[in-house]
Amino acid sequence: TEHFKLWLNRTNPILQNVKLRQAMSYAVDREALVKSIWMGLGEVAYGPLPSASAFYCADVVKKYHPKSRDLDKAKQLLQESGLTNVVLEDTSASEQPFLNHVTAGQGMLKEAGITLNLNVMDRTKANDVFWKEKKGDTFSQRWTGRPEPDLTITEMFHSKGFYNSSWGVISPELDKAIEDARASTDTAQRKNLYCQVQDIVIGQALDLSTVFPLSLNAMTADVTGYDVYQDGKLHLKQVSLKK
């Protein structure tokens, strides 16, 4: 399942303020994003795993997000953060639907009192600016499907994960839970550990997950050999047209 999210550059001191990150998460109306951008063809995302995953922890999601959006709570958390006149700089890819997501999110954050300025560029440049130069406070992008949760969790939230936008240790507890889950072959034990991971990721709003869109593939009857893979990417080696 594809996963759309807003990465947060947690090396920026302002985004190390957990109250601000939580305020941003509660300000986002995920159901509105599913309806408006994906025409209802998807599910809301509060964390890194979709509900179809055997390791999805529904209790954790309900604990922090009993409803899609809580603007009053977002405003309260922003006040508790001690921050005023919050202005963040986004590194945005110019292609759709990434730009649609971050533009909609910009308006939602504004209602909570948070300004997000968009710096729009092509996706290759945006990747370089955020991941190599570590510039920009937020970055709108997708994560393609990974049936094994470790391939998502480790990359995003382990201290050595390439797509960990803290670029280092988030917490020793998080590293340990990820490593223990990776080492275990017991499904129930892994589920418990990944619930611990999701509790930290969602509770501390380490990023802003927004939508798991459905994968839609359209083709004519002349196309043969096309298979849908769980990684969400196009595999066209065996595809051909009937003669």
Side-chain angles (χ1 to χ4, degrees), residues 2 38 46 50 59 72 74 79 103 105 107 114-115 141 145-146 148 150 156 176 195 206 214 216 218 232-233:
E2 283 191 314
W38 295 98
Y46 299 102
D59 289 344
D72 290 337
Q79 185 176 23
T103 301
I114 300 166
T115 299
Q141 188 56 279
R146 307 287 198 281
E148 164 53 51
D150 177 69
M156 290 184 184
K176 186 176 188 309
C195 281
L206 295 180
L214 296 181
L216 302 177
K233 298 177 182 178

Side-chain angles (χ1 to χ4, degrees), residues 71-234:
L71 187 57
D72 290 337
K73 190 166 186 175
K75 292 177 179 179
Q76 176 188 339
L77 285 162
L78 182 61
Q79 185 176 23
E80 291 174 4
S81 76
L83 301 169
T84 56
N85 301 318
V86 175
V87 179
L88 301 173
E89 300 294 325
D90 177 76
T91 300
S92 299
S94 57
E95 65 187 281
Q96 303 296 357
F98 311 119
L99 190 56
N100 278 347
H101 270 261
V102 75
T103 301
Q106 180 187 42
M108 295 170 185
L109 292 171
K110 188 68 176 178
E111 290 180 329
I114 300 166
T115 299
L116 184 66
N117 294 327
L118 306 187
N119 299 308
V120 181
M121 59 198 78
D122 70 76
R123 181 154 55 135
T124 300
K125 177 63 175 175
N127 276 316
D128 286 345
V129 168
F130 191 81
W131 292 111
K132 292 183 179 180
E133 301 174 21
K134 299 180 175 62
K135 295 179 180 177
D137 298 312
T138 66
F139 178 66
S140 178
Q141 188 56 279
R142 73 168 183 162
W143 182 259
T144 53
R146 307 287 198 281
E148 164 53 51
D150 177 69
L151 298 176
T152 292
I153 299 294
T154 293
E155 287 299 318
M156 290 184 184
F157 303 112
H158 191 273
S159 58
K160 296 181 180 178
F162 185 84
Y163 292 101
N164 169 5
S165 56
S166 288
W167 288 279
V169 176
I170 298 172
S171 76
E173 295 80 10
L174 186 55
D175 267 9
K176 186 176 188 309
I178 292 171
E179 290 165 6
D180 288 349
R182 190 175 197 179
S184 175
T185 57
D186 182 271
T187 300
Q189 182 184 37
R190 296 188 81 208
K191 172 74 177 283
N192 180 60
L193 289 163
Y194 282 127
C195 281
Q196 294 177 34
V197 169
Q198 290 167 82
D199 194 273
I200 295 171
V201 170
I202 298 172
Q204 296 184 17
L206 295 180
D207 56 26
L208 299 187
S209 295
T210 56
V211 177
F212 293 109
L214 296 181
S215 179
L216 302 177
N217 299 276
M219 64 197 76
T220 70
D222 293 333
V223 175
T224 63
Y226 178 73
D227 290 318
V228 177
Y229 287 76
Q230 290 187 353
D231 63 4
K233 298 177 182 178
L234 288 174

Side-chain angles (χ1 to χ4, degrees), residues 3-6 21-38 42-47 61 64-65 67-70 101 108 201-202 205 207-212:
H3 177 197
F4 278 75
K5 60 184 282 184
L6 197 67
R21 298 198 309 266
Q22 291 168 336
M24 294 173 69
S25 185
Y26 283 111
V28 175
D29 189 338
R30 293 160 173 86
E31 288 184 358
L33 293 176
V34 171
K35 291 176 182 177
S36 62
I37 296 176
W38 295 98
E43 71 172 59
V44 296
Y46 299 102
V61 172
Y64 294 107
H65 289 279
K67 56 184 178 179
S68 176
R69 189 191 199 201
D70 193 333
H101 270 261
M108 295 170 185
V201 170
I202 298 172
D207 56 26
L208 299 187
S209 295
T210 56
V211 177
F212 293 109

